[in-house]
Amino acid sequence: MAEKKIPLNREQLEALTERFPTPFHIYDEKAIRENAQRLKAAFAWNPGFKEYFAVKAAPNPYLMKILKAEGFGADCSSLPELMLAESIGLSGEEIILSANDMPANELVKATELGAIINLDDISHIEYLEQCAGLPEAISIRYNPGPLKSGNTIIGHPEEAKYGFTREQLFEGYRILRDKGVKRFGLHTMVASNELDGSYFVETAHILFDLVAELSTELGVKVEFINIGGGIGIPYKPEEQAVDLTFVGEGIRELYEEKIEKAGLAPLDLNMECGRMITGPYGWLVSRVLHEKNTYKQFVGLDACMTNLMRPALYGAYHHITVSGKEDASCDFVCDVTGSLCENNDKFAIDRAIPKVDIGDLVVIHDAGAHGHAMGFNYNAKLRSAELLLREDGEVVQIRRAETVEDYFATLDFKGLQSFES
Amino acid sequence: MAEKKIPLNREQLEALTERFPTPFHIYDEKAIRENAQRLKAAFAWNPGFKEYFAVKAAPNPYLMKILKAEGFGADCSSLPELMLAESIGLSGEEIILSANDMPANELVKATELGAIINLDDISHIEYLEQCAGLPEAISIRYNPGPLKSGNTIIGHPEEAKYGFTREQLFEGYRILRDKGVKRFGLHTMVASNELDGSYFVETAHILFDLVAELSTELGVKVEFINIGGGIGIPYKPEEQAVDLTFVGEGIRELYEEKIEKAGLAPLDLNMECGRMITGPYGWLVSRVLHEKNTYKQFVGLDACMTNLMRPALYGAYHHITVSGKEDASCDFVCDVTGSLCENNDKFAIDRAIPKVDIGDLVVIHDAGAHGHAMGFNYNAKLRSAELLLREDGEVVQIRRAETVEDYFATLDFKGLQSFES
């Protein structure tokens, strides 16, 4: 079993809380960089390999700037995410807009930035043409439907709202080709949080075959394929991380056979991972406010769903340790709860942890992706700060905590005074 | 089947969208007031009856101000909610702080306001005493555990994180009495979104019996009971709203038998409804951006989970109509989706609606509670405006839409420039 560790001991965390009150998210720069380098190494055989970090996972420009320094681009799903990419100096084809049901202003902005647009539906060709014009290079998202089974998280592809069918895909490229588009990409993503590496090899296989067919049938030369994100992380200690070398080598073998031998090289390989890039290297740190013993044992934290939605939203497992009690035996079974008046607001149910004391610092692991990003303000709870442990050991704040003023920002209290009720 | 209607026709809604772009939430003041009056009428037999509006359902001070004018107080679950109550001039025992796992600053603020504090755990007596001192009047939340089955939404009470056990309840009042607390309240809430009115009568029954026992065993005279909220609303057209008169009269009969005859009157009856107060009188109005036909039919709106989480979070049903097509036959089966890159982001799955056209205004019903309030910013989506249809037909904005600047407010872009990566 992999041991899950935050790279700060209790003393260091306690010292941090004097500057930054709990709860907060903290990310580990060194681990994120090393992980980014591992991903690049696994695909170093492909000179055009590029990872577009899925901004939605951790939409913090400081983290994005670190990832840019590692050579990553940005996979954006909305206008503000495009603006974040712009804010760190990404431009042109370092950015991809890949979303669903996109409004015109996102397409216009992506076009201005020269970003790759990943079309989600055949009707979007005309929509894009009308609102922003067709670019020189464009990508299409493929949904294999019943031809491929999705994983348990993303469900059956044919139920998913994303992408073109096979017939639409060929029709789409034909239309784009005839309209003068010069360069083409092909994208799919049919899994989320998948730990079986062969899944990604299989995804590349599907796309390589399509690249060959598109070349033969339409004379369309696909320049880049994007096998999506979806690489899972071992949330549970007994789970194994995806072996990136296995995935990289598996895809390399297929590439040699399906692409190089067929004279279709070079073909750039792209990914849009989010979770596996920052997920394991971010922690939610929270303090035990209350212990409660009724029909069950409860440990009440000063964090809640606002800081991390996944357990309540998906029933997701997040590992929990108690700072300074890493070696204590886990013989205290309890529900670890947040402070929201919402019955779902529990970080863990019937979890065995070390016996905690009020005031203990609790560490919730694997909160570095889809953690802070998904927080809401239900119950008027405020979203917490994000900190970064730099490579030199310094801790800097990369997002301040919300204030009551932030929460009230969209309300006109002056108007309220004269509002007749 | 009840017909679900928004009190604005297509022409009026289209005119509104020129001032306020979709999506937006709009509330109906007249309907909210009439509903508030129905609730009061059902309990008019109890001179001390007070409804504390559950702010979390719709934390908008304009709505709260209307409800204050109807005699309602505020049920708050956090510091900013207490501040909202204060902002509309509520004070003292017009406010109740009823939350779980409360931090000290909420208890201090509630004490300053003279609000009723509803203790959630026996350990909170000491916690409150230390951080703010014990007030003259206080309430305790009871969790009947296996003595009462919860409804399907809130689950089994013994699994819930809320409240005192029966033994703790008696011990809690004894401690409070001995510490000099003079006035006592008793609270429970074991259901959420319950449509069976007899459930609330039964809840009152449990509390009336406890009031009698507390009087006999401890000499503690409970002055007010709060039977919680939890009154459901008919989200589905075939469902029936709770008959408030049935509930009011059912509780009245018990009151006469259990309280008056036992010499325990007067006992004030309180509630903390949220959903049934504003839920049916608020709508999410959104425009059809795209239609998509792959393995299924999809209708893509310009709204998403950011505007309404309940379908994705709970699989909840929200009725959907198409403005101007209220009388058209519902023979178009589709998934009505939001624009989030999140597979869950669907307002309806396999729903039969009238055939829509791009640009149509879609109305999502019963979005007046736990709608805007639960929105998150995932995918960097911005939360929408809230509008109020006043009794005179005027429409006013009671919360502006979020801007990109709001979304970026907690980020330091200047610091980002000098951040070395």
Side-chain angles (χ1 to χ4, degrees):
Chain A
M1 295 229 300
E3 199 187 348
K4 289 195 174 274
K5 279 186 83 167
I6 182 170
L8 293 164
N9 64 27
R10 182 175 188 154
E11 202 170 47
Q12 291 167 317
L13 277 182
E14 283 291 356
L16 255 189
T17 63
E18 286 171 25
R19 290 164 61 203
F20 306 106
T22 55
F24 55 74
H25 290 255
I26 184 162
Y27 302 86
D28 180 352
E29 176 176 4
K30 182 161 179 282
I32 289 173
R33 285 189 190 271
E34 287 170 356
N35 185 48
Q37 288 156 15
R38 275 195 299 275
L39 182 67
K40 282 190 297 182
F43 293 96
W45 56 265
N46 187 285
F49 176 77
K50 193 163 190 80
E51 151 70 7
Y52 293 86
F53 175 61
V55 177
K56 66 178 75 63
N60 189 302
Y62 290 80
L63 299 175
M64 291 167 69
K65 199 169 174 182
I66 289 168
L67 294 171
K68 174 174 183 276
E70 297 297 333
F72 286 9
D75 162 48
C76 301
S77 61
S78 67
L79 179 62
E81 288 190 359
L82 289 169
M83 294 169 75
L84 283 177
E86 191 179 20
S87 78
I88 59 156
L90 288 172
S91 65
E93 296 183 7
E94 295 174 318
I95 305 170
I96 181 166
L97 173 65
S98 185
N100 178 258
D101 186 29
M102 282 179 271
N105 63 355
E106 291 174 8
L107 295 165
V108 169
K109 180 71 179 176
T111 302
E112 285 170 8
L113 291 171
I116 297 287
I117 292 169
N118 188 35
L119 293 174
D120 186 67
D121 187 53
I122 194 161
S123 73
H124 295 188
I125 297 174
E126 193 183 332
Y127 187 76
L128 172 61
E129 193 173 21
Q130 285 177 3
C131 71
L134 290 177
E136 191 195 86
I138 204 158
S139 177
I140 290 183
R141 178 171 187 158
Y142 173 52
N143 180 334
L147 304 174
K148 169 104 176 119
S149 62
N151 74 351
T152 50
I153 304 235
I154 217 157
H156 296 294
E158 66 267 34
E159 300 285 331
K161 60 183 180 173
Y162 307 108
F164 289 53
T165 65
R166 186 182 156 87
E167 294 68 31
Q168 289 170 343
L169 190 80
F170 282 79
E171 176 71 2
Y173 283 111
R174 192 192 57 70
I175 294 170
L176 290 167
R177 179 198 68 189
D178 293 349
K179 283 181 181 286
V181 171
K182 297 285 178 240
R183 297 164 49 224
F184 300 93
L186 171 61
H187 170 285
T188 197
M189 175 158 169
V190 286
S192 176
N193 195 23
E194 176 62 55
L195 287 173
D196 179 356
S198 61
Y199 212 93
F200 305 99
V201 179
E202 173 62 19
T203 300
H205 194 158
I206 292 170
L207 295 188
F208 288 157
D209 283 345
L210 275 174
V211 166
E213 288 184 77
L214 287 165
S215 171
T216 311
E217 291 193 25
L218 296 178
V220 160
K221 164 130 182 48
V222 173
E223 272 187 31
F224 53 95
I225 62 162
N226 188 326
I227 61 169
I231 295 184
I233 60 175
Y235 284 102
K236 296 181 184 171
E238 66 270 25
E239 290 173 336
Q240 285 290 325
V242 172
D243 181 342
L244 297 176
T245 308
F246 167 85
V247 175
E249 288 305 303
I251 295 177
R252 175 189 202 152
E253 280 172 33
L254 285 171
Y255 183 90
E256 287 169 356
E257 183 196 325
K258 301 267 180 187
I259 301 298
E260 285 189 342
K261 282 194 187 153
L264 296 166
L267 176 69
D268 293 348
L269 187 68
N270 299 334
M271 296 185 89
E272 52 179 41
C273 295
R275 189 187 313 270
M276 66 86 64
I277 304 297
T278 55
Y281 316 111
W283 298 265
L284 172 59
V285 178
S286 177
R287 204 178 277 284
V288 175
L289 265 187
H290 298 287
E291 275 192 78
K292 174 167 181 162
N293 183 2
T294 54
Y295 308 99
K296 298 184 79 165
Q297 292 275 355
F298 298 96
V299 171
L301 305 186
D302 62 3
C304 65
M305 279 172 82
T306 295
N307 311 102
L308 183 67
M309 294 276 279
R310 298 187 69 260
L313 185 55
Y314 307 124
Y317 180 95
H318 277 264
H319 196 62
I320 294 176
T321 55
V322 184
S323 188
K325 296 184 177 176
E326 288 81 0
D327 299 325
S329 64
C330 292
D331 51 10
F332 179 61
V333 176
C334 62
D335 286 9
V336 181
T337 79
S339 55
L340 218 66
C341 279
E342 155 65 69
N343 207 42
N344 282 343
D345 186 32
K346 296 182 177 179
F347 292 109
I349 295 174
D350 297 331
R351 180 75 58 87
I353 60 173
K355 180 72 187 75
V356 296
D357 293 297
I358 288 172
D360 274 352
L361 289 172
V362 162
V363 177
I364 304 182
H365 294 257
D366 303 304
H370 308 293
H372 191 285
M374 296 178 78
F376 60 12
N377 289 120
Y378 193 40
N379 282 213
K381 293 288 181 182
L382 305 177
R383 284 171 290 195
S384 44
E386 292 184 302
L387 311 179
L388 178 67
L389 174 63
R390 302 231 53 180
E391 290 189 285
D392 63 5
E394 192 196 355
V395 174
V396 295
Q397 179 169 274
I398 56 173
R399 183 193 299 274
R400 66 166 172 79
E402 278 185 324
T403 62
V404 173
E405 290 70 33
D406 294 321
Y407 177 74
F408 289 156
T410 52
L411 291 170
D412 175 5
F413 284 97
K414 211 175 229 176
L416 180 65
Q417 297 306 317
S418 54
F419 176 79
E420 280 180 36
S421 60
Chain B
M1 295 229 300
E3 199 187 347
K4 287 194 175 274
K5 280 185 83 166
I6 182 170
L8 293 164
N9 64 28
R10 182 174 188 154
E11 202 170 46
Q12 291 168 317
L13 277 182
E14 283 292 357
L16 253 190
T17 64
E18 287 172 25
R19 291 164 60 202
F20 307 106
T22 54
F24 55 73
H25 290 255
I26 184 162
Y27 302 85
D28 180 352
E29 176 177 2
K30 182 161 178 282
I32 289 173
R33 284 190 190 270
E34 286 169 358
N35 185 48
Q37 287 155 15
R38 275 196 298 276
L39 182 67
K40 282 190 298 182
F43 293 96
W45 57 266
N46 187 285
F49 176 78
K50 193 164 191 79
E51 151 70 9
Y52 292 86
F53 175 61
V55 176
K56 67 178 74 65
N60 189 303
Y62 290 80
L63 298 175
M64 291 168 68
K65 199 168 174 181
I66 289 168
L67 294 171
K68 174 174 183 275
E70 296 297 332
F72 286 10
D75 163 47
C76 301
S77 61
S78 68
L79 180 61
E81 288 189 358
L82 289 169
M83 292 168 75
L84 282 177
E86 191 179 20
S87 78
I88 59 156
L90 288 172
S91 65
E93 296 183 6
E94 293 173 319
I95 305 170
I96 181 166
L97 174 65
S98 184
N100 178 258
D101 186 29
M102 281 179 271
N105 63 355
E106 291 174 8
L107 295 165
V108 169
K109 179 71 178 177
T111 302
E112 285 169 9
L113 290 171
I116 296 287
I117 292 169
N118 188 35
L119 293 174
D120 186 67
D121 187 53
I122 193 161
S123 72
H124 296 188
I125 297 173
E126 193 182 332
Y127 188 75
L128 172 62
E129 192 173 20
Q130 284 176 5
C131 70
L134 290 177
E136 190 195 87
I138 204 157
S139 178
I140 289 183
R141 179 170 187 159
Y142 173 52
N143 180 334
L147 304 175
K148 168 104 177 122
S149 62
N151 74 351
T152 51
I153 304 234
I154 216 156
H156 296 293
E158 65 267 35
E159 299 285 332
K161 60 183 179 173
Y162 308 108
F164 289 52
T165 65
R166 185 182 157 87
E167 293 67 32
Q168 288 171 342
L169 190 81
F170 282 79
E171 176 70 1
Y173 283 111
R174 191 193 56 71
I175 294 170
L176 291 167
R177 180 200 66 189
D178 293 349
K179 284 181 180 283
V181 171
K182 297 286 179 240
R183 298 164 47 223
F184 300 93
L186 171 61
H187 170 285
T188 197
M189 174 158 168
V190 287
S192 176
N193 194 23
E194 176 62 56
L195 287 173
D196 179 355
S198 61
Y199 212 93
F200 305 98
V201 179
E202 172 63 18
T203 300
H205 193 158
I206 291 170
L207 295 188
F208 288 156
D209 282 346
L210 275 174
V211 166
E213 288 184 77
L214 286 165
S215 172
T216 311
E217 290 193 23
L218 296 179
V220 160
K221 163 130 182 49
V222 174
E223 273 188 29
F224 52 96
I225 63 163
N226 188 325
I227 62 169
I231 294 185
I233 60 175
Y235 284 103
K236 296 181 183 171
E238 66 269 26
E239 290 174 337
Q240 286 288 326
V242 171
D243 180 342
L244 297 176
T245 308
F246 166 85
V247 175
E249 288 305 303
I251 295 178
R252 176 190 202 151
E253 280 172 32
L254 285 171
Y255 184 90
E256 286 169 357
E257 183 194 327
K258 301 266 178 186
I259 300 299
E260 285 189 344
K261 282 194 188 153
L264 296 165
L267 176 68
D268 293 348
L269 187 68
N270 299 334
M271 296 185 88
E272 52 179 41
C273 295
R275 189 187 312 272
M276 67 86 63
I277 304 297
T278 55
Y281 315 111
W283 298 265
L284 172 59
V285 178
S286 178
R287 204 179 279 283
V288 176
L289 265 186
H290 298 288
E291 275 191 79
K292 174 166 182 163
N293 182 2
T294 55
Y295 308 99
K296 300 184 77 164
Q297 293 276 354
F298 297 97
V299 170
L301 304 186
D302 63 2
C304 66
M305 278 172 83
T306 295
N307 311 102
L308 183 66
M309 296 275 279
R310 299 187 69 260
L313 184 56
Y314 306 123
Y317 179 97
H318 277 264
H319 197 63
I320 294 176
T321 56
V322 184
S323 188
K325 296 183 176 175
E326 287 81 0
D327 298 326
S329 64
C330 292
D331 49 11
F332 179 61
V333 176
C334 63
D335 286 9
V336 180
T337 79
S339 55
L340 218 67
C341 280
E342 155 65 70
N343 207 43
N344 282 343
D345 186 32
K346 296 182 177 179
F347 293 109
I349 295 174
D350 298 330
R351 181 75 58 86
I353 60 172
K355 181 72 186 76
V356 294
D357 293 296
I358 288 171
D360 275 351
L361 289 171
V362 162
V363 177
I364 304 182
H365 294 256
D366 302 304
H370 309 293
H372 190 287
M374 297 178 78
F376 61 11
N377 289 119
Y378 194 39
N379 283 214
K381 294 287 181 182
L382 306 176
R383 284 170 289 195
S384 44
E386 293 184 302
L387 311 179
L388 178 67
L389 174 64
R390 303 231 52 179
E391 289 189 286
D392 62 4
E394 193 196 354
V395 174
V396 296
Q397 180 169 273
I398 55 172
R399 182 194 300 274
R400 67 166 172 80
E402 277 184 324
T403 62
V404 172
E405 290 70 33
D406 293 320
Y407 177 73
F408 288 155
T410 52
L411 292 169
D412 175 4
F413 284 97
K414 213 175 229 175
L416 180 66
Q417 297 307 317
S418 55
F419 177 78
E420 279 180 37
S421 61

